[in-house]
Amino acid sequence: MSVLVGFLILTAKVFGYIIHALLRWVKKPVEKRVANEICLITGAASPTGIGRFFALEFARRGATLVLWDIDTEGNENAAREVRKLGAKAYIYTCDVGRKEEVYSVAEYVRKDVGNVTILVNNAGIVAGKPILQCPDELLERTMRTNCHAHFWTVKAFLPQMIERDHGHIVTVAGSFGLFATGCLEGYCASKFAVVGFHEALSHELKAKRVSGVKTTLVCPYFTDTGMFHGCRIRQELEALLSPLRPDQFVKSAMHRILQNQHVIYVPRMLYLVLLICIYKSVSIHSPSDTLSLSVS
Ligand SMILES: *[C@@H]1O[C@H](CO)[C@@H](O)[C@H](O)[C@H]1NC(C)=O
């Protein structure tokens, strides 16, 4: 009997969510304000990277930026751009894959700046070598930076968010967290892992009734950040799914993050890709050494 009741409640909820989604589609929710929120972005240094563009979007909206990267010089440049927009920026050199470093730098941030209220877990690396050619250390580093870093940063900053029932955790995964391709074993494994992490964390916050701490998973399709230098999309797909410009992607994602959207795929076409589950929709050729796929 209780199974039947459970089933009916679930069905009613599903309909409720569909109606809720339709209403959101008709009456777009407004962007929440982030002025004076403390926003930490990991991997902010790369001039063409998603992290830098996120920093600028948050700066335009008046947030205080805390930028983390292992590249100190690049990070300083990012901070300069943020300050040009009139926002405050604090920079820290931190290897997010090392938990002791994350915990100690997080302590400094709390002392120097205050409690982080928006955490954008963006830092990522790609090895781009087939599993058998990829040095062990590089595979481990990929997992540490792209996946484990989420554990440490969330453990460092979530407790204060929960205490004040206020915060937002943004997980940047990418389409390789949804479907995989050859020669990116380490990268795909790490990205699939953080998609799972985001889902589990969202469930946990919901179960604990922490409604003030939001979570968002951001999945861009290929972006032109230079990270996948050497990747090519199959020609017949190029028209449908051309690489995204990182600044355009971030603008679009930002808008939806600030509407507290739970999952964001860009372009929206990705929802369809997932639905029909095109495997090997992306094929990679290798004109350069960075992505040496031509092992035949
Ligand atoms: C940070 O959050 C903690 C826990 O809620 C609180 O005790 C502390 O006063 C906050 N610090 C600042 C600077 O707001």
Side-chain angles (χ1 to χ4, degrees):
M1 193 59 198
S2 64
V3 173
L4 187 64
V5 172
F7 178 74
L8 287 177
I9 291 174
L10 180 69
T11 311
K13 273 190 179 167
V14 168
F15 276 105
Y17 283 128
I18 291 172
I19 290 165
H20 183 244
L22 284 176
L23 286 179
R24 271 177 76 111
W25 191 55
V26 176
K27 187 180 178 298
K28 299 259 184 281
V30 289
E31 280 191 12
K32 66 177 171 188
R33 286 172 46 80
V34 291
N36 301 323
E37 299 281 339
I38 299 177
C39 172
L40 189 158
I41 299 175
T42 67
S46 166
T48 54
I50 285 172
R52 167 92 60 116
F53 289 109
F54 267 126
L56 297 180
E57 286 300 316
F58 276 104
R60 285 193 186 99
R61 288 164 174 83
T64 295
L65 272 303
V66 178
L67 309 177
W68 282 16
D69 210 291
I70 42 170
D71 171 8
T72 310
E73 202 186 320
N75 219 8
E76 275 163 6
N77 292 334
R80 219 166 289 138
E81 284 180 37
V82 164
R83 290 181 193 126
K84 259 193 226 149
L85 295 169
K88 280 188 207 135
Y90 298 80
I91 54 171
Y92 295 87
T93 303
C94 180
D95 181 349
V96 287
R98 298 185 188 283
K99 71 174 177 212
E100 292 79 13
E101 227 174 291
V102 169
Y103 290 153
S104 73
V105 176
E107 241 352 279
Y108 285 121
V109 171
R110 263 192 292 276
K111 277 197 204 110
D112 306 345
V113 194
N115 290 319
V116 169
T117 51
I118 302 171
L119 170 63
V120 181
N121 264 322
N122 162 74
I125 56 166
V126 62
K129 282 197 167 63
I131 180 88
L132 298 182
Q133 270 91 45
C134 195
D136 297 352
E137 163 54 26
L138 202 48
L139 285 166
E140 283 174 341
R141 222 184 114 205
T142 304
M143 284 309 281
R144 280 203 307 268
T145 310
N146 299 7
C147 173
H148 298 181
H150 294 239
F151 305 158
W152 321 136
T153 51
V154 165
K155 286 189 87 166
F157 297 111
L158 182 61
Q160 305 94 50
M161 291 187 195
I162 291 178
E163 236 174 87
R164 302 158 79 207
D165 195 25
H166 176 75
H168 200 144
I169 292 171
V170 179
T171 303
V172 180
S175 52
F176 287 133
L178 308 171
F179 52 81
T181 186
C183 295
L184 289 174
E185 284 84 1
Y187 188 79
C188 290
S190 69
K191 291 300 181 180
F192 270 65
V194 291
V195 170
F197 177 69
H198 157 81
E199 278 185 24
L201 181 65
S202 311
H203 287 310
E204 183 172 331
L205 290 172
K206 199 158 181 206
K208 285 193 175 138
R209 301 187 193 283
V210 185
S211 57
V213 180
K214 311 293 181 193
T215 53
T216 298
L217 175 72
V218 182
C219 286
Y221 183 60
F222 264 126
T223 43
D224 259 336
T225 55
M227 192 160 178
F228 293 99
H229 183 67
C231 284
R232 291 262 182 75
I233 299 162
R234 260 210 327 243
Q235 242 169 17
E236 56 280 22
L237 282 162
E238 179 98 47
L240 274 181
L241 284 167
S242 50
L244 302 165
R245 270 185 39 202
D247 55 330
Q248 283 173 346
F249 155 72
V250 166
K251 271 200 164 56
S252 153
M254 187 70 187
H255 184 58
R256 292 192 260 166
I257 289 170
L258 297 183
Q259 294 172 342
N260 293 329
Q261 197 171 313
H262 183 57
V263 174
I264 300 172
Y265 296 164
V266 185
R268 284 174 212 266
M269 180 74 177
L270 271 188
Y271 294 97
L272 194 67
V273 172
L274 262 201
L275 212 63
I276 52 185
C277 224
I278 304 178
Y279 258 80
K280 299 190 172 119
S281 63
V282 184
S283 71
I284 295 180
H285 309 288
S286 155
S288 71
D289 328 329
T290 44
L291 269 159
S292 34
L293 190 98
S294 46
V295 275
S296 46

